[in-house]
């Protein structure tokens, strides 16, 4: 049973426009969420995170929104740049605090078109 | 500095070989992790070490044996692997904070091929 779902395997966005990547989760025990960017044969690179006590976190071009009642989060990238083309993973951590394995979604392949 | 290093970058081994993967971080993190990632799949948690003690083992077969010699190092000893164990093995570390988001930082991974 998938606890973290990214239902769009791929997304094409024109350069300069907004990219919106979506993620849904089913486990209400998750209390923090992270977005990672990944290139093939490389490790995930941390982008941005959000705690369940917040509904928005912003860092430069990246903003993450959390709707806890809908168990939904999204990553907004604006403006989108060619270097943003990669696979984006949504990940969730539990409420135990401290060292806790992350549960990842299947990823969304973002393609930024010139 | 948020660097986690892993060696080797690539490893090819036979089913009877014994090999080890190594991971190192110097960020003062007290939690370290091993994940396995197959092609076109998300990373899957294998082991978690917290303050050099194994705290989570996700029912990983005994042919994978983790070791945490000190707070900066994490090893994964491999023995009698199967071809289906071929994957990208990712190491990560985090502060192990208990009050807020505990961001995990990943290394570049070791691409393992079992023949």
């Amino acid at each position: 049973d998938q606890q973290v779902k990214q239902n769009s395997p791929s997304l094409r966005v024109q350069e300069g426009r907004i990219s919106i990547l979506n993620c849904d989760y089913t486990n209400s025990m998750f209390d923090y969420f992270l977005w990672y960017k990944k290139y093939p044969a490389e490790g995930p690179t941390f982008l941005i995170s959000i705690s369940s006590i917040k509904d928005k976190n912003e860092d430069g071009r990246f903003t993450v929104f959390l709707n806890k009642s809908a168990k939904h989060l999204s990553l907004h990238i604006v403006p989108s740049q060619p270097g943003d083309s990669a696979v984006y993973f949504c990940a969730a951590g539990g409420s135990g605090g401290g060292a806790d394995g992350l549960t990842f979604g299947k990823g969304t392949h973002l393609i930024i078109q010139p | 500095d948020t660097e986690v290093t892993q060696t080797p970058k690539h490893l090819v081994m036979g089913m009877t070989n014994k090999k080890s993967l190594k991971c190192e971080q110097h960020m003062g993190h007290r939690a370290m992790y091993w994940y396995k990632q197959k092609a076109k799949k998300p990373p899957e948690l294998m082991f978690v070490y917290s303050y050099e003690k194994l705290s989570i083992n996700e029912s990983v077969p005994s042919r994978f044996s983790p070791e945490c010699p000190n707070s900066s190092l994490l090893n994964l000893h491999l023995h009698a692997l199967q071809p289906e164990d071929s994957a990208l093995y990712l190491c990560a570390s985090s502060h192990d904070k208990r009050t807020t988001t505990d961001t995990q930082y990943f290394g570049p991974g070791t691409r393992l091929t079992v023949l």
Side-chain angles (χ1 to χ4, degrees), chain A residues 2-13 18-25 33-36 63-67 70-77 87-91 104-110:
Chain A
Q2 259 188 289
Q3 297 186 67
V4 177
K5 300 177 186 178
Q6 292 176 259
N7 291 321
S8 299
S10 66
L11 176 67
R12 289 178 183 270
V13 175
I18 183 170
S19 295
I20 301 176
L21 296 97
N22 293 303
C23 178
D24 298 291
Y25 63 96
F33 305 90
L34 309 93
W35 284 95
Y36 288 88
T63 303
V64 56
F65 295 93
L66 175 63
N67 182 332
K71 293 192 177 68
H72 176 84
L73 62 154
S74 60
L75 174 68
H76 293 212
I77 306 173
V87 176
Y88 288 77
F89 286 99
C90 170
F104 284 82
K106 289 189 173 181
T108 296
H109 186 191
L110 176 64

Side-chain angles (χ1 to χ4, degrees), chain B residues 8-91:
Chain B
K9 190 166 184 172
H10 301 278
L11 178 62
V12 179
M13 60 187 290
M15 290 190 283
T16 58
N17 292 157
K18 282 186 182 181
K19 296 286 185 183
S20 296
L21 309 185
K22 296 184 183 302
C23 174
E24 190 167 3
Q25 57 86 17
H26 294 288
M27 296 178 277
H29 288 174
R30 301 311 301 269
M32 297 187 77
Y33 312 78
W34 281 114
Y35 288 83
K36 172 182 178 179
Q37 186 179 22
K38 303 278 277 183
K40 299 191 187 300
K41 299 282 188 183
E44 292 182 350
L45 182 69
M46 298 175 74
F47 302 103
V48 180
Y49 272 84
S50 176
Y51 290 81
E52 295 99 73
K53 293 191 187 311
L54 182 65
S55 61
I56 297 177
N57 176 342
E58 291 286 354
S59 303
V60 179
S62 60
R63 57 186 184 267
F64 295 92
S65 175
E67 178 197 19
C68 190
N70 60 56
S71 60
S72 300
L73 293 173
L74 184 66
N75 299 321
L76 186 62
H77 303 298
L78 314 173
H79 175 54
L81 294 194
Q82 304 296 310
E84 59 265 28
D85 297 321
S86 298
L88 181 68
Y89 287 83
L90 294 163
C91 173

Side-chain angles (χ1 to χ4, degrees), chain A residues 32-34 36 38 41-46 49-51 89 96-107, chain B residues 31 33 35 37 41-43 45 48-50 56 88 90 96-98 101-109 111:
Chain A
Y32 64 93
F33 305 90
L34 309 93
Y36 288 88
K38 190 176 184 301
E42 292 185 9
T45 300
F46 170 70
S49 64
I50 189 166
S51 165
F89 286 99
D100 192 13
L102 295 176
T103 301
F104 284 82
K106 289 189 173 181
Chain B
Y33 312 78
Y35 288 83
Q37 186 179 22
K41 299 282 188 183
L45 182 69
V48 180
Y49 272 84
S50 176
I56 297 177
L88 181 68
L90 294 163
D96 197 357
K97 292 183 286 189
R98 296 182 181 272
T101 306
D102 193 38
T103 301
Q104 292 182 27
Y105 296 93
F106 285 80
R111 173 67 61 187

